[in-house]
Amino acid sequence: MLSTAQVVRRSLASPLRFQVVRASSVWANVPKGPPDVPQAILGITEAFKADSFPQKINLGVGAYRDDAGKPYVLPSVRAAEQKVVASSLDKEYAGITGVANFTSAAATLAYGDSSKDLTSRLSITQSISGTGALRIGGAFLARFFPGEKKIYIPTPSWANHAAVFKDSGLQVEKYNYYDSKTIGLDFEGMIDSLKSMPTGSAVLLHACAHNPTGVDPTQDQWRQIATVMKEKNHFPFFDMAYQGFASGDTNVDAFALRHFVQEGFELVLAQSFAKNMGLYGERVGAFSLLSATAADKARVDSQLKILIRPMYSNPPIGGARIASTILNTPELRSQWLGEVKGMAERIIKMRALLKGNLEKLGSKRDWSHITSQIGMFAYTGLGKEDMEKLAKEGSVYATKDGRISVAGITSGNVERLAECIKKVAG
């Protein structure tokens, strides 16, 4: 039997020993994650900042820049912001599905004037930008999609797509999309993939300005895609992060989505207002689901609230109020449409200038893909070694897969950029 003194000594020693073990080992088994795309882009930015060459070029940034290479706040956003402040609105919580006059306006922007006819079947909620919308959609499919709990995404796709859907509980599969030989759309391969998928599969579709390739189907190809998906009873999951920013026309950029609606599909849509309104840090987005019946909509509405409540409870109101003010104020909406068209036209112009300068320099390569692609990003067709040489010898920084952000090209650096590309690519 232990003496009283021994019991006391052991009781005093045990907590200390336990605390020492916990302090040194609680997170010891957490594995270090592999480098991902955001880290790679951060590395590009750090290398760019460390470069002392005055004519260095950063083509890794994923946000719009003006022709001086500076961040751009849309004048319509500034005006809407001032209008919101002047309204002296309260800071109360939004409902679970967000700011109502924002979500209704977001639906009209995406689905067009016919959105009024869809009201009885369309469930919509504000989301934490496009990523949040994707996560809501992924989680909803993981819980309720009647088919296999998997989603097919294009090869390649935005780097975060796979991560978002996997964390939502879905298995991620790939389908053919990009042809590295033509630096364009592998349309036949895409159609073959859609036909070979199990009937009733969920398929992620980039509505416009495919990220990261900038390669989009034509309207006729979208019609064929819809036909095959209808034959196979596939379920479309649209991601529309660049409406208006791709072509400069919000209606043109929504063609694919609206065509699928006209064809009678039930579908889901993730919207983002980061690129087309420049509301990157405001995290403004929307998730919508088009059901077959009003009764289905009522059930979906209830389950969306149940899903969102423990996820983030309700969304922030600031950015949604800005976007809502723009979309619901005729003069501001008209101004914004002109501004987003201007941003798109600058990107299109930079593509043309880059291609023209490469041809002027006598490059032996065919650069027609630079102008046939669309949106903020372009796949140049340059390889890893080419991109490393661009950085080392030309102080031109971009991801090693050959993707460049066209927003980083300006009228002041496009000639030097073309010279650097010509030097490494011939």
Side-chain angles (χ1 to χ4, degrees), residues 347-381:
I347 295 294
I348 292 169
K349 180 181 178 182
M350 291 304 108
R351 287 178 177 276
L353 285 175
L354 177 59
K355 175 177 177 285
N357 275 280
L358 284 164
E359 291 171 346
K360 184 179 178 181
L361 290 168
S363 176
K364 298 176 182 178
R365 291 200 182 192
D366 177 9
W367 296 102
S368 59
H369 57 277
I370 295 296
T371 50
S372 64
Q373 295 171 9
I374 195 169
M376 183 178 292
F377 300 107
Y379 254 30
T380 60

mmCIF file of all heavy atoms in Angstrom, residues 347-381:
data_model
loop_
_atom_site.group_PDB
_atom_site.id
_atom_site.type_symbol
_atom_site.label_atom_id
_atom_site.label_comp_id
_atom_site.label_asym_id
_atom_site.label_seq_id
_atom_site.Cartn_x
_atom_site.Cartn_y
_atom_site.Cartn_z
ATOM 1 N N ILE A 347 -8.458 43.415 -72.391
ATOM 2 C CA ILE A 347 -7.864 42.080 -72.438
ATOM 3 C C ILE A 347 -7.773 41.597 -73.888
ATOM 4 O O ILE A 347 -6.736 41.058 -74.324
ATOM 5 C CB ILE A 347 -8.700 41.086 -71.603
ATOM 6 C CG1 ILE A 347 -8.674 41.468 -70.112
ATOM 7 C CG2 ILE A 347 -8.208 39.659 -71.814
ATOM 8 C CD1 ILE A 347 -7.322 41.349 -69.457
ATOM 9 N N ILE A 348 -8.838 41.780 -74.644
ATOM 10 C CA ILE A 348 -8.861 41.363 -76.053
ATOM 11 C C ILE A 348 -7.794 42.109 -76.852
ATOM 12 O O ILE A 348 -7.098 41.540 -77.699
ATOM 13 C CB ILE A 348 -10.267 41.591 -76.649
ATOM 14 C CG1 ILE A 348 -11.281 40.631 -76.000
ATOM 15 C CG2 ILE A 348 -10.258 41.408 -78.163
ATOM 16 C CD1 ILE A 348 -12.722 40.952 -76.309
ATOM 17 N N LYS A 349 -7.655 43.409 -76.570
ATOM 18 C CA LYS A 349 -6.651 44.224 -77.261
ATOM 19 C C LYS A 349 -5.239 43.736 -76.951
ATOM 20 O O LYS A 349 -4.379 43.662 -77.844
ATOM 21 C CB LYS A 349 -6.809 45.687 -76.860
ATOM 22 C CG LYS A 349 -5.799 46.621 -77.525
ATOM 23 C CD LYS A 349 -5.999 48.061 -77.068
ATOM 24 C CE LYS A 349 -4.957 48.982 -77.700
ATOM 25 N NZ LYS A 349 -5.114 50.392 -77.231
ATOM 26 N N MET A 350 -4.968 43.391 -75.686
ATOM 27 C CA MET A 350 -3.635 42.927 -75.301
ATOM 28 C C MET A 350 -3.302 41.599 -75.988
ATOM 29 O O MET A 350 -2.163 41.354 -76.382
ATOM 30 C CB MET A 350 -3.535 42.776 -73.785
ATOM 31 C CG MET A 350 -3.557 44.099 -73.019
ATOM 32 S SD MET A 350 -2.270 45.266 -73.553
ATOM 33 C CE MET A 350 -3.256 46.476 -74.432
ATOM 34 N N ARG A 351 -4.312 40.748 -76.137
ATOM 35 C CA ARG A 351 -4.102 39.495 -76.860
ATOM 36 C C ARG A 351 -3.672 39.779 -78.311
ATOM 37 O O ARG A 351 -2.726 39.175 -78.824
ATOM 38 C CB ARG A 351 -5.390 38.661 -76.852
ATOM 39 C CG ARG A 351 -5.732 38.022 -75.511
ATOM 40 C CD ARG A 351 -7.045 37.251 -75.606
ATOM 41 N NE ARG A 351 -7.395 36.569 -74.382
ATOM 42 C CZ ARG A 351 -6.953 35.381 -74.009
ATOM 43 N NH1 ARG A 351 -6.099 34.737 -74.801
ATOM 44 N NH2 ARG A 351 -7.323 34.835 -72.866
ATOM 45 N N ALA A 352 -4.402 40.700 -78.944
ATOM 46 C CA ALA A 352 -4.100 41.029 -80.333
ATOM 47 C C ALA A 352 -2.714 41.653 -80.472
ATOM 48 O O ALA A 352 -1.965 41.341 -81.409
ATOM 49 C CB ALA A 352 -5.166 41.981 -80.883
ATOM 50 N N LEU A 353 -2.351 42.519 -79.539
ATOM 51 C CA LEU A 353 -1.032 43.166 -79.588
ATOM 52 C C LEU A 353 0.089 42.162 -79.379
ATOM 53 O O LEU A 353 1.124 42.232 -80.046
ATOM 54 C CB LEU A 353 -0.954 44.277 -78.534
ATOM 55 C CG LEU A 353 -1.706 45.572 -78.841
ATOM 56 C CD1 LEU A 353 -1.635 46.528 -77.654
ATOM 57 C CD2 LEU A 353 -1.120 46.247 -80.088
ATOM 58 N N LEU A 354 -0.098 41.228 -78.460
ATOM 59 C CA LEU A 354 0.934 40.220 -78.215
ATOM 60 C C LEU A 354 1.121 39.354 -79.458
ATOM 61 O O LEU A 354 2.253 39.127 -79.905
ATOM 62 C CB LEU A 354 0.552 39.354 -77.015
ATOM 63 C CG LEU A 354 1.533 38.207 -76.691
ATOM 64 C CD1 LEU A 354 2.926 38.754 -76.415
ATOM 65 C CD2 LEU A 354 1.023 37.388 -75.507
ATOM 66 N N LYS A 355 0.027 38.888 -80.020
ATOM 67 C CA LYS A 355 0.105 38.068 -81.231
ATOM 68 C C LYS A 355 0.749 38.863 -82.379
ATOM 69 O O LYS A 355 1.637 38.363 -83.078
ATOM 70 C CB LYS A 355 -1.291 37.617 -81.642
ATOM 71 C CG LYS A 355 -1.373 36.852 -82.960
ATOM 72 C CD LYS A 355 -2.798 36.400 -83.222
ATOM 73 C CE LYS A 355 -2.934 35.690 -84.572
ATOM 74 N NZ LYS A 355 -2.901 36.645 -85.706
ATOM 75 N N GLY A 356 0.306 40.112 -82.549
ATOM 76 C CA GLY A 356 0.845 40.938 -83.620
ATOM 77 C C GLY A 356 2.331 41.201 -83.481
ATOM 78 O O GLY A 356 3.084 41.153 -84.472
ATOM 79 N N ASN A 357 2.786 41.452 -82.268
ATOM 80 C CA ASN A 357 4.209 41.708 -82.044
ATOM 81 C C ASN A 357 5.052 40.455 -82.269
ATOM 82 O O ASN A 357 6.172 40.542 -82.788
ATOM 83 C CB ASN A 357 4.436 42.246 -80.632
ATOM 84 C CG ASN A 357 4.247 43.749 -80.539
ATOM 85 O OD1 ASN A 357 5.130 44.530 -80.901
ATOM 86 N ND2 ASN A 357 3.083 44.170 -80.077
ATOM 87 N N LEU A 358 4.533 39.299 -81.880
ATOM 88 C CA LEU A 358 5.269 38.052 -82.119
ATOM 89 C C LEU A 358 5.409 37.789 -83.609
ATOM 90 O O LEU A 358 6.473 37.365 -84.090
ATOM 91 C CB LEU A 358 4.541 36.885 -81.432
ATOM 92 C CG LEU A 358 4.720 36.813 -79.905
ATOM 93 C CD1 LEU A 358 3.681 35.887 -79.285
ATOM 94 C CD2 LEU A 358 6.131 36.330 -79.570
ATOM 95 N N GLU A 359 4.343 38.049 -84.353
ATOM 96 C CA GLU A 359 4.396 37.853 -85.801
ATOM 97 C C GLU A 359 5.320 38.878 -86.446
ATOM 98 O O GLU A 359 6.074 38.555 -87.379
ATOM 99 C CB GLU A 359 2.988 37.956 -86.381
ATOM 100 C CG GLU A 359 2.096 36.786 -85.980
ATOM 101 C CD GLU A 359 0.634 36.971 -86.374
ATOM 102 O OE1 GLU A 359 0.257 38.118 -86.720
ATOM 103 O OE2 GLU A 359 -0.118 35.991 -86.330
ATOM 104 N N LYS A 360 5.297 40.088 -85.952
ATOM 105 C CA LYS A 360 6.153 41.153 -86.478
ATOM 106 C C LYS A 360 7.634 40.828 -86.276
ATOM 107 O O LYS A 360 8.489 41.160 -87.114
ATOM 108 C CB LYS A 360 5.798 42.471 -85.795
ATOM 109 C CG LYS A 360 6.554 43.680 -86.308
ATOM 110 C CD LYS A 360 6.090 44.939 -85.573
ATOM 111 C CE LYS A 360 6.872 46.163 -86.035
ATOM 112 N NZ LYS A 360 6.429 47.381 -85.301
ATOM 113 N N LEU A 361 7.920 40.141 -85.159
ATOM 114 C CA LEU A 361 9.303 39.761 -84.860
ATOM 115 C C LEU A 361 9.762 38.553 -85.669
ATOM 116 O O LEU A 361 10.931 38.162 -85.597
ATOM 117 C CB LEU A 361 9.441 39.464 -83.362
ATOM 118 C CG LEU A 361 9.337 40.671 -82.416
ATOM 119 C CD1 LEU A 361 9.183 40.206 -80.978
ATOM 120 C CD2 LEU A 361 10.564 41.572 -82.575
ATOM 121 N N GLY A 362 8.843 37.962 -86.411
ATOM 122 C CA GLY A 362 9.199 36.826 -87.256
ATOM 123 C C GLY A 362 9.177 35.481 -86.551
ATOM 124 O O GLY A 362 9.865 34.542 -86.977
ATOM 125 N N SER A 363 8.394 35.377 -85.470
ATOM 126 C CA SER A 363 8.306 34.101 -84.765
ATOM 127 C C SER A 363 7.792 33.014 -85.703
ATOM 128 O O SER A 363 6.884 33.232 -86.506
ATOM 129 C CB SER A 363 7.361 34.218 -83.566
ATOM 130 O OG SER A 363 7.206 32.962 -82.931
ATOM 131 N N LYS A 364 8.399 31.843 -85.615
ATOM 132 C CA LYS A 364 8.040 30.733 -86.495
ATOM 133 C C LYS A 364 6.802 29.973 -86.003
ATOM 134 O O LYS A 364 6.272 29.133 -86.721
ATOM 135 C CB LYS A 364 9.219 29.776 -86.623
ATOM 136 C CG LYS A 364 10.459 30.421 -87.249
ATOM 137 C CD LYS A 364 11.630 29.447 -87.268
ATOM 138 C CE LYS A 364 12.873 30.111 -87.847
ATOM 139 N NZ LYS A 364 14.052 29.188 -87.842
ATOM 140 N N ARG A 365 6.375 30.266 -84.807
ATOM 141 C CA ARG A 365 5.224 29.552 -84.245
ATOM 142 C C ARG A 365 3.908 30.196 -84.692
ATOM 143 O O ARG A 365 3.856 31.372 -85.053
ATOM 144 C CB ARG A 365 5.286 29.562 -82.719
ATOM 145 C CG ARG A 365 6.404 28.726 -82.132
ATOM 146 C CD ARG A 365 6.085 28.396 -80.687
ATOM 147 N NE ARG A 365 7.132 27.641 -80.034
ATOM 148 C CZ ARG A 365 7.001 27.039 -78.860
ATOM 149 N NH1 ARG A 365 5.850 27.114 -78.210
ATOM 150 N NH2 ARG A 365 7.999 26.373 -78.320
ATOM 151 N N ASP A 366 2.867 29.386 -84.639
ATOM 152 C CA ASP A 366 1.523 29.885 -84.896
ATOM 153 C C ASP A 366 0.943 30.363 -83.564
ATOM 154 O O ASP A 366 0.758 29.573 -82.631
ATOM 155 C CB ASP A 366 0.659 28.770 -85.479
ATOM 156 C CG ASP A 366 -0.789 29.207 -85.698
ATOM 157 O OD1 ASP A 366 -1.078 30.410 -85.561
ATOM 158 O OD2 ASP A 366 -1.623 28.331 -86.000
ATOM 159 N N TRP A 367 0.651 31.665 -83.471
ATOM 160 C CA TRP A 367 0.151 32.237 -82.220
ATOM 161 C C TRP A 367 -1.329 32.586 -82.298
ATOM 162 O O TRP A 367 -1.841 33.371 -81.501
ATOM 163 C CB TRP A 367 0.959 33.498 -81.862
ATOM 164 C CG TRP A 367 2.395 33.195 -81.580
ATOM 165 C CD1 TRP A 367 3.454 33.397 -82.412
ATOM 166 C CD2 TRP A 367 2.943 32.611 -80.388
ATOM 167 N NE1 TRP A 367 4.625 32.987 -81.830
ATOM 168 C CE2 TRP A 367 4.344 32.500 -80.570
ATOM 169 C CE3 TRP A 367 2.388 32.177 -79.181
ATOM 170 C CZ2 TRP A 367 5.187 31.963 -79.604
ATOM 171 C CZ3 TRP A 367 3.227 31.643 -78.210
ATOM 172 C CH2 TRP A 367 4.607 31.540 -78.427
ATOM 173 N N SER A 368 -2.044 31.984 -83.227
ATOM 174 C CA SER A 368 -3.459 32.317 -83.399
ATOM 175 C C SER A 368 -4.291 31.957 -82.164
ATOM 176 O O SER A 368 -5.352 32.547 -81.928
ATOM 177 C CB SER A 368 -4.031 31.612 -84.628
ATOM 178 O OG SER A 368 -3.902 30.203 -84.516
ATOM 179 N N HIS A 369 -3.798 30.987 -81.378
ATOM 180 C CA HIS A 369 -4.545 30.604 -80.178
ATOM 181 C C HIS A 369 -4.617 31.731 -79.157
ATOM 182 O O HIS A 369 -5.527 31.766 -78.329
ATOM 183 C CB HIS A 369 -3.921 29.367 -79.533
ATOM 184 C CG HIS A 369 -2.482 29.533 -79.167
ATOM 185 N ND1 HIS A 369 -1.459 29.366 -80.082
ATOM 186 C CD2 HIS A 369 -1.879 29.863 -77.998
ATOM 187 C CE1 HIS A 369 -0.295 29.569 -79.484
ATOM 188 N NE2 HIS A 369 -0.524 29.877 -78.223
ATOM 189 N N ILE A 370 -3.669 32.661 -79.210
ATOM 190 C CA ILE A 370 -3.673 33.764 -78.244
ATOM 191 C C ILE A 370 -4.943 34.607 -78.405
ATOM 192 O O ILE A 370 -5.538 35.047 -77.415
ATOM 193 C CB ILE A 370 -2.427 34.662 -78.428
ATOM 194 C CG1 ILE A 370 -1.147 33.867 -78.097
ATOM 195 C CG2 ILE A 370 -2.515 35.902 -77.545
ATOM 196 C CD1 ILE A 370 -1.044 33.412 -76.650
ATOM 197 N N THR A 371 -5.378 34.807 -79.647
ATOM 198 C CA THR A 371 -6.577 35.613 -79.884
ATOM 199 C C THR A 371 -7.858 34.778 -79.986
ATOM 200 O O THR A 371 -8.954 35.313 -79.854
ATOM 201 C CB THR A 371 -6.423 36.454 -81.167
ATOM 202 O OG1 THR A 371 -5.998 35.607 -82.244
ATOM 203 C CG2 THR A 371 -5.391 37.558 -80.959
ATOM 204 N N SER A 372 -7.728 33.476 -80.206
ATOM 205 C CA SER A 372 -8.935 32.650 -80.250
ATOM 206 C C SER A 372 -9.397 32.273 -78.843
ATOM 207 O O SER A 372 -10.583 31.988 -78.621
ATOM 208 C CB SER A 372 -8.693 31.379 -81.076
ATOM 209 O OG SER A 372 -7.719 30.556 -80.464
ATOM 210 N N GLN A 373 -8.475 32.275 -77.900
ATOM 211 C CA GLN A 373 -8.843 32.060 -76.504
ATOM 212 C C GLN A 373 -9.517 33.323 -75.963
ATOM 213 O O GLN A 373 -9.478 34.385 -76.588
ATOM 214 C CB GLN A 373 -7.605 31.713 -75.671
ATOM 215 C CG GLN A 373 -6.962 30.390 -76.056
ATOM 216 C CD GLN A 373 -5.611 30.175 -75.380
ATOM 217 O OE1 GLN A 373 -5.195 30.920 -74.489
ATOM 218 N NE2 GLN A 373 -4.903 29.132 -75.810
ATOM 219 N N ILE A 374 -10.136 33.209 -74.792
ATOM 220 C CA ILE A 374 -10.915 34.332 -74.268
ATOM 221 C C ILE A 374 -10.782 34.417 -72.757
ATOM 222 O O ILE A 374 -10.535 33.420 -72.083
ATOM 223 C CB ILE A 374 -12.398 34.188 -74.674
ATOM 224 C CG1 ILE A 374 -13.162 35.498 -74.477
ATOM 225 C CG2 ILE A 374 -13.054 33.031 -73.939
ATOM 226 C CD1 ILE A 374 -14.548 35.483 -75.104
ATOM 227 N N GLY A 375 -10.927 35.626 -72.239
ATOM 228 C CA GLY A 375 -10.904 35.808 -70.789
ATOM 229 C C GLY A 375 -9.553 36.244 -70.266
ATOM 230 O O GLY A 375 -8.652 36.609 -71.019
ATOM 231 N N MET A 376 -9.425 36.194 -68.951
ATOM 232 C CA MET A 376 -8.235 36.728 -68.294
ATOM 233 C C MET A 376 -6.976 35.905 -68.552
ATOM 234 O O MET A 376 -5.876 36.439 -68.622
ATOM 235 C CB MET A 376 -8.474 36.822 -66.779
ATOM 236 C CG MET A 376 -7.310 37.438 -66.018
ATOM 237 S SD MET A 376 -7.623 37.593 -64.253
ATOM 238 C CE MET A 376 -8.898 38.845 -64.249
ATOM 239 N N PHE A 377 -7.141 34.589 -68.709
ATOM 240 C CA PHE A 377 -5.966 33.727 -68.812
ATOM 241 C C PHE A 377 -5.776 33.183 -70.222
ATOM 242 O O PHE A 377 -6.734 33.016 -70.976
ATOM 243 C CB PHE A 377 -6.085 32.561 -67.828
ATOM 244 C CG PHE A 377 -6.197 33.017 -66.396
ATOM 245 C CD1 PHE A 377 -7.397 32.927 -65.719
ATOM 246 C CD2 PHE A 377 -5.111 33.570 -65.740
ATOM 247 C CE1 PHE A 377 -7.514 33.361 -64.411
ATOM 248 C CE2 PHE A 377 -5.205 34.007 -64.434
ATOM 249 C CZ PHE A 377 -6.416 33.906 -63.762
ATOM 250 N N ALA A 378 -4.510 32.905 -70.536
ATOM 251 C CA ALA A 378 -4.181 32.322 -71.837
ATOM 252 C C ALA A 378 -3.179 31.202 -71.627
ATOM 253 O O ALA A 378 -2.254 31.326 -70.820
ATOM 254 C CB ALA A 378 -3.600 33.379 -72.777
ATOM 255 N N TYR A 379 -3.394 30.110 -72.349
ATOM 256 C CA TYR A 379 -2.399 29.040 -72.405
ATOM 257 C C TYR A 379 -1.523 29.331 -73.612
ATOM 258 O O TYR A 379 -1.986 29.307 -74.748
ATOM 259 C CB TYR A 379 -3.102 27.695 -72.547
ATOM 260 C CG TYR A 379 -3.093 26.867 -71.283
ATOM 261 C CD1 TYR A 379 -3.083 27.466 -70.028
ATOM 262 C CD2 TYR A 379 -3.092 25.476 -71.338
ATOM 263 C CE1 TYR A 379 -3.088 26.713 -68.879
ATOM 264 C CE2 TYR A 379 -3.097 24.709 -70.175
ATOM 265 C CZ TYR A 379 -3.094 25.323 -68.956
ATOM 266 O OH TYR A 379 -3.083 24.569 -67.810
ATOM 267 N N THR A 380 -0.252 29.589 -73.356
ATOM 268 C CA THR A 380 0.647 30.007 -74.435
ATOM 269 C C THR A 380 1.159 28.846 -75.274
ATOM 270 O O THR A 380 1.574 29.033 -76.417
ATOM 271 C CB THR A 380 1.870 30.745 -73.852
ATOM 272 O OG1 THR A 380 2.565 29.851 -72.956
ATOM 273 C CG2 THR A 380 1.446 31.998 -73.110
ATOM 274 N N GLY A 381 1.172 27.649 -74.678
ATOM 275 C CA GLY A 381 1.788 26.515 -75.360
ATOM 276 C C GLY A 381 3.266 26.387 -75.031
ATOM 277 O O GLY A 381 3.945 25.474 -75.503
#
